[in-house]
Amino acid sequence: MTSAREIAAAVRSGASTAVEAVTAALARIERVDPVLCAFAEVWEEAALRGARAVDERIAAGEHLPLAGVPIGVKGRRGPRGAGPLIAAGCVPVGATAVPGPGTAWQTWGLGRYGRTVNPWRYDRTPGGSSAGSAAAVAAGLVPLATGSDGAGSVRIPAAWCGVVGLKATNGRLPSADRTGLAAPGVLTRCVADAEAYWRAMAGPAETPGGGERRTPTALWSADLGFAGPDPEPVALARAAAHRLADAGAVRLLPPGRPLRLEDPGPAWLALRDGGDLVTAARVRAVNDRRLDALFRRADLLMTPTTPCAAHGHDGPGDRYSTALTWAFNLSGHPALSLPAGLGRDGCPVGLQLVAARGREELLLAVAGSAKW
């Protein structure tokens, strides 16, 4: 699968056209999606019109950083949040699958042809709720798809489908979520494409500060003090963290006093569904203080993305796949899931990187050093 940046470079140079790139994506979707079920809708006519418009803009001399890149957008309302991507030259080809009625766990999607499957194993869920976006990117139908993350809904499917998933700092990009728990995000096959997404959505990178550049520091936590993850995703994520350190991307600090957050689940549920808001405020305040202290000591926090491997389509039982992600929806910190390896079942798991609020650039720079 050609990356988004490679597609855009070819279209800008005249080596290819947006119409060719979009036509190829539509052909892949037609061939694969009856099994994958990653798309709820495909907008063939609109996509080709959009591609022709991009080719006209290029011919007129306009510089489009994402010229002709076919993208999936999460849900039928996805184009509303993709305006900056479309302005940068992206062409939405369809709405990716999200959970249908009765899927209270938000762990799978409902596409045109049925339930969305994990490209690595069809008997496993891709995760949710950005299920279709993760599956479409992992299977190479499109190089980039948008998501939204209210409790891990970008990072969990990214981990279970073996792709990159970025959740922005809460409130930094527009979101329709009135609780403030959800933030926009993206799923891509490579970090460079996630960085291109971020440039389009957030604008040019801030000018680096003066002084000597140094290797970012990172702290590892297997469980955030409460989560009880399974041994295998912990081992794979820890090994991925050490590979980043071996590559010189980060400097792992000695463990010292372990991070112990309060379980954010009850607070998250109270804010989302109504409940004990006094207790929710207390949990949020306690965790914010502990995370603020951590980020005074280190630049990054590293954890497994999920406490368990991808489960089957019959549901996870009483296991919360959000155990290691929703703390950062409550706190608002940006977070990124990076592929960490394959479990014994043949399915991917992820390494989660978390940074101080507003430091998406740091997440992308460190993740971009991964060579696996």
Side-chain angles (χ1 to χ4, degrees), residues 148-155 167-185 264-274 277 280-281 283-284 288 325-334:
S148 59
D149 190 313
S153 293
V154 164
R155 290 162 287 160
K167 176 196 89 72
T169 301
N170 289 60
R172 190 164 182 187
L173 299 177
S175 171
D177 179 34
R178 289 177 292 180
T179 68
L181 293 169
W268 188 97
L269 292 167
L271 290 167
R272 174 65 73 182
D273 301 325
L277 298 182
V283 170
R284 175 176 261 171
D288 280 355
T325 53
W326 58 358
F328 308 110
N329 297 90
L330 196 68
S331 68
H333 290 84

Side-chain angles (χ1 to χ4, degrees), residues 162-239:
V163 297
V164 176
L166 171 69
K167 176 196 89 72
T169 301
N170 289 60
R172 190 164 182 187
L173 299 177
S175 171
D177 179 34
R178 289 177 292 180
T179 68
L181 293 169
V186 70
L187 297 112
T188 64
R189 290 170 67 92
C190 63
V191 176
D193 283 354
E195 184 178 11
Y197 160 90
W198 185 246
R199 293 278 183 270
M201 295 296 292
E206 296 179 2
T207 303
E212 183 179 349
R213 297 185 64 180
R214 62 176 179 81
T215 302
T217 55
L219 283 167
W220 164 260
S221 175
D223 60 5
L224 299 178
F226 64 84
D230 293 339
E232 187 174 58
V234 170
L236 289 168
R238 183 185 285 115

